[in-house]
Amino acid sequence: MNIITCFKVVPEEQDITVKPNRDISFEKAPMTISAYDLNCIEAGTQLAEANGGNVIGISVGAKKIDDSKLKKNVLSRGPESIFMVADDKLENIDTYQTANALKAVAEKIKDYDLILCGEGSADLYAQQVGPQLGQLLSLPAINSVSKITLADGKAIVERTLENELETLEISLPAVISVTSDINLPRIPSMKQILAAGKKSATIWSAEDAGIGNLSATLGVIETKAPEQMDRKKDIVQGDSEEAIKSFITKIQEVLK
Amino acid sequence: MSDDRFDAIIVGGGIAGTVTAYLLAKEGLEVMLVERGNYAGSKNVTGGRIYSHSLEKIMPGFAQEAPVERKITREKISLMTEESNVTVEFSSTRLGEQGSDSYSVLRGVFDQWLASKAEDAGVQMVTGIRVDDLIVREGKVCGVIAGEDELEANVTILADGVNSLLAQKLGYRGELAPHQVAVGVKEIIELSAEVIDNRFNCREGEGTSWLFAGIPSAGKVGGGFLYTNKTSISLGVVSTLSELIKANKTLPQMLEDFKSHPSIEPLLKGGKMMEYSGHLVPEGGFHMVPKIIGDGVLVVGDAAGFCINLGYAVRGMDFAVGSAECAAKAVLKANKAQDFSAGFLQCYQSFLDESFVMKDLKHYRNFPHFLEETPRIFNGYPGMAADIMTDLFVVTGNPPQPMMKMMMKHVKNMGMLNIAKDGWKGVRSL
């Protein structure tokens, strides 16, 4: 059983800053694994642990995603190997192109029974790549999956819908997008981190992966943070009855 | 070498641990470094300055490559009262000469660079893992335990910082005593490089180190500090724990008041607070150094209490490097002899004794005690200096007094004998 888990590399959310002109700055934000894809990797690893098999991590993106810390991070979470297309041609690609690039990687790996995706990415959360990848590979694709059980050649999945729990049976290979409540991603142990350093990572250029003619169709004109309301800078000092009263009055006035 | 066995395991990815790991891996040893934070430098706090002499020996010219902030070419010391500030300033090109130069640093960045050097040298870096305990068999330390994992090594080096729980578990030392440690809080305030150059009268790439006694630590043992980084200022307050208990203000409040002091506020104007952190600082000096050698184990850096606070200079990082070098030398020697017993590892102590680490710690051994025993430094002299300066510079139209008489008035308030005594004791402890 070969399970492919897809992960996206995104800038670390908490280190993204807003500049005074409302521009978004990624300068201090290191690259990290999209949080939802940690659930995807964990789901793949748990399935392999329960049913036997091999987990492979795949990703596509700009050259910078080929980062040793990042790869070690993925490999310490269960996957035995990583395949990546890391090429600056893939900067700013849209979901359809991403799905196409992932398809190229999956086709190069050839031998797989299941492809897992996170529900959406931590940066854009378009929730498109999983379903589109299924379509491109002509495989059954299903999203919002919160539980997977494998049984000979099939997957029995649960989808938590608004008012009901849907249980479906789909034939493999398939592409499944999992929700963030499917599991709690593990914290890798000392030995797992150590072992990750010895696992293999294969990095391809867009040419290597046969998608050399792919180029970004999206151009970002600008990304701005929402306008912040100016602080009133009205400070009430002290803890006397009077100060508290004036504080409450001020709040009441604003709420009116 | 099997997967689960190393020549050396180092606990802690600060400067002491990383340099030890680097030196051992460079000589071909199988080394693993375990760091509790998600990256080296994520858990520690520094005031802000590294004296380069010790690291320069290990990585010549490191400052050209390492992400240091500014070369310190301007030293300032202030006696601060609530409304006044008396400053002595020293600037010299001598401060920046290679080998005796010092740099402001931000450890979050600096330690990651150092860790990448260690990794390049072959160290297995394991981050995000806390070592819970040590494997001890018949009194010999045989490796580390983290969660359910155990890994063994010929020698384990504890570089787990000031509050070394592992050294404590081994019984090498007890709980930290309140007079042995200080607590520091620090803000990093972002300003443009140009604004910093202008406000601190610094040339590009050069910077100021500034220490304050008096009101920043509310007149208790401790003080304020300010270091200029490339595009930020590190500003903080340190106070000895035993004094903090007696203080009428909390440490965060001290920092708030320090920031709004009339001499400091304009320097920070328009700045944006980027980081707030707090940490313990070993301050006991020589007398605080615990047991640092055992069967299969050595203790380095802050964990060994290698730090001195002289009031006008605070040094810890160069001791971290110095002790790391001694530990690495000892381990290499032990590795050659394949003898990791406490007896053989005593050579760590000899290397330390020969190095500046022990020489300096011994030299200044009475200074921490002197500071503690001389509250006037923190609650008397700042006021006296301010009063003298006030009489000197504040023109009110009242008839002037002869300068000698004016000065003596303030000196007498303090007690001539007290000043002489403090001066004598202070100089003798240096």
Side-chain angles (χ1 to χ4, degrees):
Chain A
M1 177 103 195
N2 271 337
I3 302 169
I4 291 179
T5 57
C6 306
F7 64 94
K8 182 174 182 180
V9 179
V10 297
E12 175 71 67
E13 213 171 309
Q14 63 186 26
D15 294 323
I16 300 172
T17 51
V18 177
K19 289 182 166 177
N21 65 358
R22 287 167 45 226
D23 273 351
I24 313 282
S25 165
F26 299 101
E27 248 170 67
K28 289 179 181 139
M31 294 279 112
T32 188
I33 310 164
S34 168
Y36 303 101
D37 294 338
L38 294 180
N39 296 102
C40 152
I41 294 170
E42 180 65 30
T45 304
Q46 285 184 10
L47 285 174
E49 281 167 354
N51 304 281
N54 184 25
V55 183
I56 303 162
I58 72 171
S59 188
V60 298
K63 197 128 191 78
K64 63 186 175 211
I65 71 164
D66 178 15
D67 176 273
S68 64
K69 276 207 185 87
L70 208 130
K71 288 184 287 187
K72 208 168 150 184
N73 188 350
V74 172
L75 292 170
S76 66
R77 293 170 185 275
E80 282 308 313
S81 56
I82 283 181
F83 293 87
M84 271 184 175
V85 182
D87 194 315
D88 285 342
K89 277 186 188 159
L90 273 60
E91 178 108 55
N92 280 333
I93 52 175
D94 63 20
T95 54
Y96 185 64
Q97 292 168 317
T98 304
N100 263 301
L102 288 171
K103 170 182 177 247
V105 176
E107 280 174 345
K108 267 179 98 82
I109 294 171
K110 261 190 228 145
D111 182 24
Y112 59 85
D113 305 283
L114 178 61
I115 299 180
L116 295 176
C117 294
E119 187 66 11
S121 62
D123 55 351
L124 300 174
Y125 205 70
Q127 307 177 73
Q128 294 294 311
V129 173
Q132 289 186 17
L133 179 59
Q135 168 66 26
L136 287 169
L137 289 167
S138 306
L139 293 177
I142 193 144
N143 66 352
S144 289
V145 169
S146 52
K147 191 179 175 195
I148 307 173
T149 330
L150 296 177
D152 63 314
K154 289 177 306 198
I156 296 126
V157 301
E158 282 181 13
R159 305 176 77 216
T160 313
L161 304 178
E162 247 170 64
N163 299 317
E164 68 243 68
L165 189 71
E166 187 179 49
T167 306
L168 299 168
E169 191 183 291
I170 50 174
S171 60
L172 296 181
V175 180
I176 297 176
S177 303
V178 301
T179 61
S180 55
D181 46 7
I182 188 168
N183 54 39
L184 188 66
R186 71 192 58 193
I187 296 169
S189 75
M190 183 165 68
K191 283 188 180 172
Q192 285 164 340
I193 297 171
L194 215 50
K198 297 183 182 109
K199 292 179 178 175
S200 79
T202 309
I203 314 301
W204 291 314
S205 68
E207 298 287 339
D208 294 340
I211 46 171
N213 54 2
L214 187 150
S215 68
T217 46
L218 282 180
V220 177
I221 296 167
E222 65 170 19
T223 311
K224 291 277 188 196
E227 206 139 0
Q228 292 275 320
M229 215 158 89
D230 277 339
R231 298 268 173 229
K232 287 220 172 348
K233 289 184 182 164
D234 191 348
I235 297 170
V236 182
Q237 285 200 342
D239 54 4
S240 64
E241 279 294 319
E242 228 169 278
I244 294 168
K245 224 179 240 168
S246 123
F247 181 65
I248 292 171
T249 325
K250 279 171 201 278
I251 290 180
Q252 280 170 337
E253 267 167 32
V254 176
L255 290 179
K256 250 180 220 166
Chain B
M1 184 119 320
S2 89
D3 272 3
D4 293 355
R5 211 181 153 73
F6 287 89
D7 291 319
I9 292 177
I10 288 122
V11 185
I15 289 184
T18 310
V19 171
T20 312
Y22 167 82
L23 288 170
L24 294 177
K26 226 177 66 171
E27 296 304 317
L29 266 61
E30 293 273 339
V31 183
M32 173 176 76
L33 189 152
V34 191
E35 159 62 33
R36 174 173 64 113
N38 282 332
Y39 56 88
S42 60
K43 293 282 180 189
N44 52 34
V45 179
T46 181
R49 170 219 293 236
I50 183 165
Y51 290 92
S52 77
H53 67 100
S54 55
L55 194 54
E56 182 69 29
K57 244 174 79 191
I58 292 165
M59 300 178 179
F62 81 94
Q64 266 81 57
E65 190 197 333
V68 292
E69 296 294 317
R70 285 170 184 256
K71 185 193 270 196
I72 303 297
T73 55
R74 201 171 281 273
E75 305 273 355
K76 291 184 176 192
I77 301 183
S78 289
L79 294 173
M80 188 177 252
T81 64
E82 213 150 318
E83 64 276 357
S84 312
N85 192 37
V86 182
T87 304
V88 179
E89 179 171 346
F90 172 60
S91 66
S92 168
T93 51
R94 290 287 314 271
L95 286 168
E97 279 170 16
Q98 194 168 1
S100 58
D101 45 346
S102 68
Y103 298 87
S104 53
V105 288
L106 294 170
R107 293 282 297 281
V109 199
F110 186 78
D111 287 19
Q112 285 191 73
W113 171 82
L114 207 56
S116 73
K117 286 277 145 193
E119 219 164 2
D120 291 347
V123 175
Q124 298 272 356
M125 292 288 284
V126 173
T127 55
I129 295 290
R130 188 189 67 210
V131 171
D132 302 311
D133 210 341
L134 299 165
I135 308 170
V136 183
R137 286 191 207 107
E138 291 160 13
K140 183 184 179 339
V141 176
C142 302
V144 298
I145 304 170
E148 285 169 7
D149 289 352
E150 293 191 5
L151 288 172
E152 300 206 5
N154 288 331
V155 63
T156 305
I157 291 152
L158 307 184
D160 52 341
V162 47
N163 192 21
S164 174
L165 296 175
L166 294 175
Q168 211 171 306
K169 278 195 171 158
L170 287 177
Y172 287 11
R173 48 167 249 208
E175 290 275 352
L176 291 170
H179 70 275
Q180 288 180 327
V181 283
V183 190
V185 285
K186 182 179 94 162
E187 283 188 15
I188 293 176
I189 296 159
E190 190 178 59
L191 287 165
S192 76
E194 207 188 352
V195 166
I196 293 173
D197 291 349
N198 290 339
R199 285 188 192 171
F200 292 88
N201 194 11
C202 290
R203 285 198 293 198
E204 203 185 327
E206 297 186 354
T208 297
S209 148
W210 198 348
L211 299 173
F212 304 78
I215 199 71
S217 53
K220 301 286 178 194
V221 179
F225 61 84
L226 185 158
Y227 296 97
T228 54
N229 305 313
K230 267 183 195 142
T231 56
S232 64
I233 287 170
S234 297
L235 183 88
V237 175
V238 182
S239 178
T240 306
L241 203 51
S242 54
E243 292 287 309
L244 207 49
I245 301 165
K246 294 182 256 168
N248 54 0
K249 268 197 246 183
T250 63
L251 199 58
Q253 188 59 48
M254 288 181 197
L255 180 56
E256 280 310 310
D257 294 348
F258 184 39
K259 272 167 61 187
S260 54
H261 190 277
S263 313
I264 300 297
E265 197 179 21
L267 297 172
L268 309 178
K269 198 180 154 207
K272 189 174 162 206
M273 199 237 281
M274 302 302 288
E275 230 179 273
Y276 189 96
S277 53
H279 211 273
L280 288 175
V281 192
E283 291 229 306
F286 182 73
H287 297 295
M288 179 186 167
V289 176
K291 182 177 170 187
I292 54 172
I293 300 168
D295 278 325
V297 66
L298 296 176
V299 188
V300 295
D302 271 8
F306 293 150
C307 181
I308 21 180
N309 177 5
L310 296 174
Y312 58 87
V314 190
R315 292 168 53 190
M317 288 185 266
D318 59 334
F319 287 118
V321 176
S323 61
E325 195 188 0
C326 294
K329 258 160 84 179
V331 170
L332 289 171
K333 202 171 159 186
N335 190 57
K336 221 173 197 175
Q338 282 297 301
D339 181 353
F340 300 93
S341 66
F344 193 92
L345 287 172
Q346 279 305 320
C347 59
Y348 173 43
Q349 187 65 53
S350 325
F351 290 138
L352 282 172
D353 288 342
E354 288 160 27
S355 79
F356 72 91
V357 176
M358 274 304 163
K359 282 182 185 157
D360 290 10
L361 278 174
K362 255 182 216 157
H363 183 86
Y364 296 117
R365 66 183 174 279
N366 292 324
F367 199 76
H369 184 66
F370 163 72
L371 287 180
E372 223 171 291
E373 291 297 292
T374 319
R376 277 182 290 270
I377 295 178
F378 307 97
N379 64 17
Y381 297 132
M384 183 179 88
D387 289 346
I388 292 174
M389 291 299 168
T390 307
D391 281 357
L392 212 60
F393 290 109
V394 178
V395 176
T396 57
N398 290 335
Q401 285 184 324
M403 192 189 292
M404 193 60 194
K405 193 173 160 209
M406 178 277 283
M407 300 256 267
M408 284 316 287
K409 179 181 77 194
H410 298 297
V411 170
K412 271 183 192 148
N413 277 345
M414 190 63 62
M416 185 97 90
L417 206 60
N418 281 335
I419 298 176
K421 242 173 32 196
D422 292 347
W424 175 243
K425 276 199 312 199
V427 171
R428 258 172 47 114
S429 66
L430 292 171

